[in-house]
Amino acid sequence: MMGILLIAGPYLFELDGKNTDSFIFFVSGAVLLLLSVCTNYEVGAFKIIPMRVHLAADVILGLLLAVSSWLFGFAERLFLPYLVPGAIAVVAAFLTNPTDRNTTRLI
């Protein structure tokens, strides 16, 4: 779901679709979708990537997404659409129990 929202990000936030800020949304969304399809869990089609690797990648991608507007120099005009989903990805990764597919960890 997050991958689809990130790919739609440039349209949701009325970006021109040609700059770095749009590219970050597209790439982040595509990586998340690819990761989801290849992970060994309920919705994974190929089940190649272990869940722990998926969650580690979520943390790394979330952190990069959260700081990307500062990293690429457009934070003065737009940062919340990158910070919020990045933070959500990191928090969700830490709340997910990688061993039991039916439960999530709350703390």
Side-chain angles (χ1 to χ4, degrees):
M1 179 66 109
M2 177 76 82
I4 294 168
L5 287 174
L6 287 173
I7 290 171
Y11 308 106
L12 295 172
F13 299 108
E14 299 177 357
L15 303 175
D16 67 4
K18 299 175 186 173
N19 294 331
T20 304
D21 48 7
S22 297
F23 183 73
I24 292 167
F25 274 125
F26 293 138
V27 170
S28 298
V31 168
L32 280 178
L33 288 176
L34 183 63
L35 191 62
S36 292
V37 169
C38 294
T39 298
N40 184 13
Y41 73 135
E42 295 85 5
V43 298
F46 299 111
K47 302 191 186 315
I48 299 167
I49 300 170
M51 189 61 176
R52 288 186 188 274
V53 173
H54 175 115
L55 294 174
D58 279 351
V59 169
I60 293 166
L61 185 62
L63 291 173
L64 287 173
L65 185 61
V67 300
S68 63
S69 55
W70 289 277
L71 211 61
F72 294 102
F74 53 87
E76 65 280 348
R77 64 181 173 82
L78 187 66
F79 70 90
L80 279 178
Y82 301 89
L83 180 63
V84 172
I88 290 171
V90 171
V91 169
F94 281 113
L95 293 179
T96 302
N97 185 343
T99 56
D100 186 356
R101 294 181 178 172
N102 298 320
T103 63
T104 56
R105 197 173 37 165
L106 296 178
I107 295 179

